[in-house]
Amino acid sequence: MYRTHHRPVVFGLITVLLVILLSGCSGGSGTGSSASSQSDGPLRPNTPVIYEPDAPQTAVIGSEPLTVDVSNADQGYVMARYTGSAAKANIQITGADGINYKYFLPPSDSYISLPLTSGNGTYAIDGYENIAGSEYISLFRESIDVTISNEFLPFLYPSQYVNFNADTEAVATASEVVSKAHSDLDAVADIYHYVIENVVYDEEKAATVTSGYLPDVDETLSTGKGICFDYAALTTAMLRSQDIPTRLEIGYSGDIYHAWISVYVDEVGWIDDIIEFSGDGWTRMDPTFASSNDNSETVLKYIGDGENYTTQYIR
């Protein structure tokens, strides 16, 4: 049975950052023991918790063919829809942190969930329509003031980059994978190990992937392969469906493009950079390296305290 939330009350959870390279990384299948056996006490609930975004249209900016429903901005997301005849539209969202997030929408009657990851404050929302090639025409620019009712909500709902729902196979798989976990920390370790042990890096896809690519978590799960963006999105979807706030972060490690994951757990808080359960604690590491380098000292030295990682976007 699924527990579905529209306006949820989120209780705290612990965080752990899982780093996964994007199309420039190397990969392979990995090994590692589950953390579930390391804890005592009762098992944690493993029933999926799905936070379902909706578009009640009680507050809308823009006008047809491109509209943004901001009715649930206090839940940490807006819903966008493009119904025009052009190839695509573009929504740009800029929060108080000054980071400009660009989202591309194909023509559709359905709304797409876009997260408000900059926290509370004023957001500028710009709408553009593609007219030819890389040329766009501006349709609107409006601002909204946002107070998110719970800081974790943007990292629990599905979004364009981390797309899942109650019928997604990855959600059912996550529930099974964490069925013996005693804590959220155990669940993070179980899902992390499941992904690195069951998904291999797709070199051909990495060489041919085009700009604007969006992961399909169930495709990654069923094929057992993907680029590092796929690793990150699948892991994030599985963790969020277990009510564990998770940030998918995109940026650079040195001059290599990466995607990594922060997970929040109550006893610890947000933990930055990748962490691997070694049997008696968590060790910083890159999971793509982990799957092929067995947590080598070289990798640990490079990861260090996370100073090699620079975040550009949070999805």
Side-chain angles (χ1 to χ4, degrees):
M1 174 175 132
Y2 291 92
R3 290 185 283 158
T4 302
H5 293 253
H6 288 278
R7 304 180 72 82
V9 176
V10 182
F11 37 85
L13 304 147
I14 315 186
T15 59
V16 186
L17 223 100
L18 307 171
V19 180
I20 304 178
L21 300 177
L22 280 171
S23 58
C25 65
S26 61
S29 60
T31 59
S33 60
S34 165
S36 296
S37 61
Q38 306 300 324
S39 300
D40 296 321
L43 298 178
R44 68 182 292 281
N46 69 324
T47 302
V49 180
I50 307 300
Y51 294 79
E52 293 187 344
D54 62 353
Q57 300 185 55
T58 55
V60 177
I61 63 176
S63 60
E64 294 295 345
L66 181 60
T67 57
V68 180
D69 189 318
V70 299
S71 307
N72 290 324
D74 66 335
Q75 298 297 293
Y77 69 89
V78 298
M79 301 286 279
R81 181 177 69 175
Y82 175 63
T83 57
S85 57
K88 56 190 171 182
N90 173 231
I91 294 291
Q92 298 189 20
I93 301 176
T94 307
D97 58 7
I99 299 174
N100 179 244
Y101 289 86
K102 298 179 181 181
Y103 299 95
F104 295 90
L105 285 64
S108 174
D109 290 330
S110 300
Y111 281 91
I112 295 174
S113 177
L114 309 178
L116 301 175
T117 56
S118 299
N120 298 334
T122 299
Y123 285 79
I125 302 180
D126 297 87
Y128 300 89
E129 185 177 36
N130 183 238
I131 54 175
S134 60
E135 297 182 39
Y136 287 78
I137 185 172
S138 175
L139 299 182
F140 64 83
R141 177 181 176 84
E142 298 193 39
S143 296
I144 59 172
D145 292 323
V146 175
T147 301
I148 300 174
S149 62
N150 188 298
E151 64 179 296
F152 300 116
L153 292 178
F155 313 112
L156 286 166
Y157 276 98
S159 68
Q160 187 186 49
Y161 278 70
V162 186
N163 194 8
F164 64 97
N165 56 46
D167 298 322
T168 301
E169 185 60 33
V171 170
T173 299
S175 179
E176 180 181 351
V177 167
V178 304
S179 62
K180 295 183 180 179
H182 295 270
S183 67
D184 291 330
L185 192 61
D186 288 348
V188 170
D190 290 344
I191 288 173
Y192 166 69
H193 285 296
Y194 178 86
V195 171
I196 67 169
E197 292 169 8
N198 289 278
V199 179
V200 297
Y201 192 72
D202 190 336
E203 299 282 356
E204 180 179 356
K205 185 176 183 179
T208 58
V209 67
T210 58
S211 175
Y213 170 78
L214 294 172
D216 181 326
V217 298
D218 274 358
E219 179 181 321
T220 303
L221 190 69
S222 64
T223 62
K225 60 183 181 180
I227 61 175
C228 293
F229 199 1
D230 297 316
Y231 280 72
L234 174 60
T235 307
T236 300
M238 294 175 75
L239 288 166
R240 288 184 183 179
S241 74
Q242 282 296 304
D243 212 16
I244 299 176
T246 307
R247 296 192 307 239
L248 193 162
E249 303 186 19
I250 298 171
Y252 286 89
S253 173
D255 59 358
I256 301 173
Y257 207 40
H258 279 257
W260 58 93
I261 299 171
S262 297
V263 181
Y264 185 87
V265 189
D266 205 22
E267 295 85 347
V268 178
W270 288 106
I271 302 176
D272 297 334
D273 312 316
I274 205 43
I275 295 177
E276 156 83 332
F277 193 78
S278 61
D280 57 1
W282 291 86
T283 304
R284 292 178 186 276
M285 64 183 302
D286 181 314
T288 305
F289 292 148
S291 65
S292 58
N293 293 284
D294 194 26
N295 199 15
S296 71
E297 289 299 319
T298 301
V299 171
L300 294 178
K301 182 177 180 181
Y302 177 74
I303 298 300
D305 60 3
E307 64 181 9
N308 291 307
Y309 292 94
T310 303
T311 301
Q312 283 194 312
Y313 303 107
I314 299 174
R315 302 294 190 177

